[in-house]
Amino acid sequence: MTAVLGETWVLARRELTHWRQQPAGVIVNWLFTVMIALMFGGLFGGAIGEDYFDYLMPGMFALTMFFGVEATMTAVSTDAAKGVTDRFRSLPIHSASVVLGRCLADLMNSAVGLVVLVGAAAALGWRWQEGLGRALAAFGLLLLLRFALLWVGIFLGLVVKGPESVTMVQILVWPVGFLSGVFVDPATMPSWLGTIAQWNPLSATAAASRDLFGNPGLIPDHAMLLAALWPLLLTAIFLPLSVHRHRRLGS
Amino acid sequence: MAEPAISADGIRKTYRGAQTPALNGFDLEVPGGMVYGLLGPNGAGKTTAVRILATLMRLDAGRAVVAGHDVSTEAARVRQRIGLVGQYAAVDEILSGRQNLVLFGRLNHLGQARAVSRADELLERFGLAEAGGKPVAKYSGGMRRRLDLAASLIVSPEVLFVDEPTTGLDPQGRQEVWSALRELVAGGTTILLTTQYLEEADQLAHRIAMLWHGRVVSEGTPDELKATIGGDWIDLAFADADQARQALPTVAAHADGEPRTEEHRISVPVRQRTRALIAISTALAADGVEPVEVNLRRPTLDEVFLDLHRKQGDKQEVAA
């Protein structure tokens, strides 16, 4: 067990070394969501209403977690394509360490991204209104979503042929991001579209964190429950799929 | 006799959805402390064999023992004793050479200080000391391969698998990798080298097994193999097809096998290259038919395997 923890940490630290080696890429990535937030806040804020920025921010936090799928998928498929995964598999380490190292590294990356975005939001006047305890619960839900999406990313990264296929996912995250409660209230969409937007994991986490932060926006029924259940469901599906896929590397 | 470093007995492996097996009764016995070449054309099953022996892939049937441990039931023990250099330089391109070696050192359970000092030793040994701090993305193909080799030697493996180490390298990179491999064997490591180049196997390996459609069809020292595959070839080109026809009986008389003709060209297998070359040139000069071009060359792998295939076919016919 301690061996697994040690190996996990060594592998996660590899990712931290990546940040140091290529700081520009990581920083741009962290600032990207800040830019999106400023852009949408600025573009739509005037048209939608004064408190749009406060509505938008929890959605942006959730979207940042969602964007993580892409990062995980890129890293996993690059390692597989370059033979690095095979090298890890030929080493005397526990196979869980490789996956856990990826988890830890990507969670750290997303946590920093979240801190950067929260910092930027706070500088622009966004606040949590219901106390630190509920705010921490909201951050917990956000990271839980990220954790669940990790397994989606690992699975997709092992399924695709190479890092090139990631481009497709990079394009697809946008419509999924828009088709949610991140930018606007799904209640304002045509009803069939609104239903899809309302019930996806991204919207659930966005709505639940709006509730916990005390930010404006209609909070649909069961938002909190869904924000907890969706990630658990995704993990329950994609964790075994990822493990299965990882095992299949050997068959 | 000492236990072999690698032994494989009747390994079968069929990939999911594939019509024909990748390995079809693969047998191999590699004594310790030598470079053993596994030679075969693309698709013969070389990489499959290496992946199974290195515990990356499960076998369907048969048994394999590497460094004294069964790959199916004692994979973890096997992994402690092997190194693997795959077809791609499996190193992290963003990290520097040194950072890569420290990472793999830590994953081999060396302490941080030991991993760093080992990384420096290996960088020095593989002529990468100067480039050690640069990201691997800036390395040449030969440098990457050497780093890859270094990464698999962190804990001095008993058995090292090297899968097509020079595919895609320029001649300089190839030389660099070859000399690195030669040094390794001098240090006592057993190396299983796969290659599709006859020349590479000839240069590096003490023994060679030839793989064809998933099984070993021939095995021996490079000299033994060359003897069974008919040695070298002489290619002759004449001014025109008429001249080539005229020359054919003379050339055939000095050949050690069936000559092949194509328009104005004749190719013949010969056993003793220099003697045959002189004999053929002298005889042709006496006939007054002089070739415009003469080339002495090793058989191509295609010729070797076609030849083997034919002999195997003959044997099967005799057996039938």
Side-chain angles (χ1 to χ4, degrees):
Chain A
M1 191 61 205
T2 45
V4 173
L5 290 180
E7 290 157 6
T8 301
W9 176 237
V10 168
L11 285 160
R13 238 185 29 190
R14 163 187 173 220
E15 217 61 30
L16 301 187
T17 317
H18 280 185
W19 301 1
R20 212 170 60 216
Q21 293 287 108
Q22 295 193 329
V26 192
I27 291 170
V28 165
N29 213 13
W30 288 333
L31 292 180
F32 181 70
T33 45
V34 176
M35 189 192 82
I36 300 287
L38 288 175
M39 211 169 78
F40 277 88
L43 279 175
F44 297 154
I48 295 177
E50 264 177 32
D51 55 3
Y52 180 63
F53 193 71
D54 288 336
Y55 172 86
L56 176 67
M57 284 325 294
M60 282 306 306
F61 299 156
L63 191 65
T64 307
M65 301 298 104
F66 182 63
F67 280 162
V69 174
E70 205 182 304
T72 303
M73 193 181 156
T74 310
V76 170
S77 62
T78 306
D79 275 357
K82 301 255 179 208
V84 175
T85 308
D86 277 348
R87 161 148 280 148
F88 288 150
R89 294 177 62 230
S90 76
L91 290 172
I93 56 174
H94 201 283
S95 59
S97 305
V98 178
V99 177
L100 290 174
R102 165 65 40 213
C103 272
L104 184 58
D106 285 359
L107 275 178
M108 285 192 293
N109 191 341
S110 289
V112 175
L114 191 57
V115 167
V116 169
L117 186 59
V118 168
L124 291 165
W126 173 84
R127 293 288 179 272
W128 59 71
Q129 313 286 351
E130 309 252 319
L132 184 63
R134 284 175 67 89
L136 286 177
F139 291 129
L141 278 181
L142 288 162
L143 288 173
L144 180 66
L145 177 66
R146 179 67 186 98
F147 177 79
L149 291 172
L150 259 166
W151 300 104
V152 180
I154 290 174
F155 175 71
L156 291 176
L158 290 173
V159 170
V160 298
K161 286 282 174 288
E164 297 79 19
S165 328
V166 176
T167 317
M168 210 178 65
V169 172
Q170 279 173 336
I171 293 167
L172 281 176
V173 296
W174 285 103
V176 176
F178 285 120
L179 196 57
S180 71
V182 167
F183 296 105
V184 292
D185 190 334
T188 64
M189 301 176 186
S191 65
W192 63 275
L193 206 59
T195 309
I196 301 173
Q198 185 79 271
W199 293 97
N200 76 42
L202 191 54
S203 307
T205 301
S209 26
R210 264 179 207 123
D211 191 12
L212 287 166
F213 287 132
N215 290 140
L218 276 177
I219 310 299
D221 298 339
H222 314 304
M224 207 70 76
L225 185 67
L226 283 174
L229 281 184
W230 260 124
L232 294 180
L233 181 67
L234 286 174
T235 308
I237 294 170
F238 283 96
L239 192 149
L241 277 177
S242 302
V243 170
H244 174 70
R245 201 74 206 184
H246 212 262
R247 291 228 178 96
R248 252 190 68 179
L249 289 174
S251 70
Chain B
M1 203 183 111
E3 204 181 334
I6 302 172
S7 75
D9 192 11
I11 296 184
R12 282 171 203 285
K13 173 77 190 177
T14 306
Y15 287 103
R16 198 180 290 234
Q19 298 289 320
T20 50
L23 290 181
N24 188 11
F26 174 79
D27 298 314
L28 192 70
E29 190 160 314
V30 179
M34 65 157 64
V35 181
Y36 195 99
L38 194 55
L39 178 68
N42 264 331
K46 301 188 296 293
T47 298
T48 307
V50 164
R51 290 178 65 83
I52 285 175
L53 294 172
T55 76
L56 289 183
M57 194 184 269
R58 281 183 292 274
L59 41 78
D60 294 342
R63 183 165 187 263
V65 176
V66 173
H69 297 277
D70 190 301
V71 296
S72 304
T73 56
E74 301 174 290
R77 283 178 192 278
V78 172
R79 279 181 211 137
Q80 283 165 4
R81 289 166 175 79
I82 60 164
L84 170 69
V85 184
Q87 268 184 43
Y88 307 97
V91 284
D92 187 318
E93 294 193 354
I94 301 172
L95 300 184
S96 70
R98 179 174 287 103
Q99 286 168 334
N100 264 290
L101 293 180
V102 172
L103 168 70
F104 292 120
R106 293 304 309 268
L107 291 175
N108 273 294
H109 303 118
L110 300 183
Q112 178 70 19
R114 183 77 195 97
V116 170
S117 66
R118 184 72 182 137
D120 285 330
E121 277 167 41
L122 286 165
L123 288 171
E124 188 68 42
R125 176 158 154 207
F126 285 92
L128 294 166
E130 222 167 286
K134 277 192 214 156
V136 174
K138 294 195 173 144
Y139 284 21
S140 71
M143 288 164 78
R144 280 179 204 215
R145 280 292 176 167
R146 280 182 286 151
L147 180 66
D148 198 24
L149 267 176
S152 36
L153 294 175
I154 285 166
V155 287
S156 309
E158 289 171 41
V159 177
L160 179 65
F161 297 99
V162 187
D163 194 11
E164 302 200 8
T166 60
T167 299
L169 287 188
D170 57 18
Q172 154 129 27
R174 184 170 296 187
Q175 285 300 334
E176 289 171 8
V177 170
W178 282 0
S179 57
L181 285 173
R182 282 203 191 92
E183 268 189 50
L184 276 184
V185 198
T189 306
T190 306
I191 299 182
L192 182 69
L193 166 88
T194 78
T195 179
Q196 41 179 324
Y197 305 118
L198 193 57
E199 193 199 352
E200 185 159 275
D202 194 11
Q203 284 269 340
L204 294 171
H206 300 109
R207 292 186 77 81
I208 300 175
M210 298 218 271
L211 196 58
W212 175 255
H213 291 313
R215 68 168 74 203
V216 173
V217 288
S218 185
E219 201 266 355
T221 63
D223 284 340
E224 286 167 2
L225 280 180
K226 269 185 277 178
T228 63
I229 62 187
D232 301 298
W233 285 71
I234 295 178
D235 294 337
L236 301 137
F238 295 88
D240 52 44
D242 262 353
Q243 291 229 331
R245 256 196 301 281
Q246 263 185 305
L248 188 59
T250 311
V251 175
H254 293 90
D256 298 300
E258 201 65 29
R260 287 190 309 183
T261 57
E262 195 196 325
E263 291 177 26
H264 65 292
R265 294 177 179 278
I266 302 175
S267 297
V268 282
V270 293
R271 238 168 238 133
Q272 290 183 304
R273 40 201 262 149
T274 324
R275 191 174 295 174
L277 185 62
I278 294 170
I280 290 176
S281 333
T282 319
L284 284 178
D287 291 353
V289 203
E290 295 209 8
V292 289
E293 210 183 297
V294 180
N295 252 318
L296 186 59
R297 63 172 172 85
R298 291 286 165 81
T300 64
L301 210 51
D302 286 346
E303 284 163 343
V304 170
F305 281 102
L306 280 174
D307 196 42
L308 269 171
H309 196 54
R310 215 189 53 229
K311 281 181 190 156
Q312 288 249 318
D314 291 350
K315 256 189 250 163
Q316 276 162 13
E317 272 165 38
V318 171

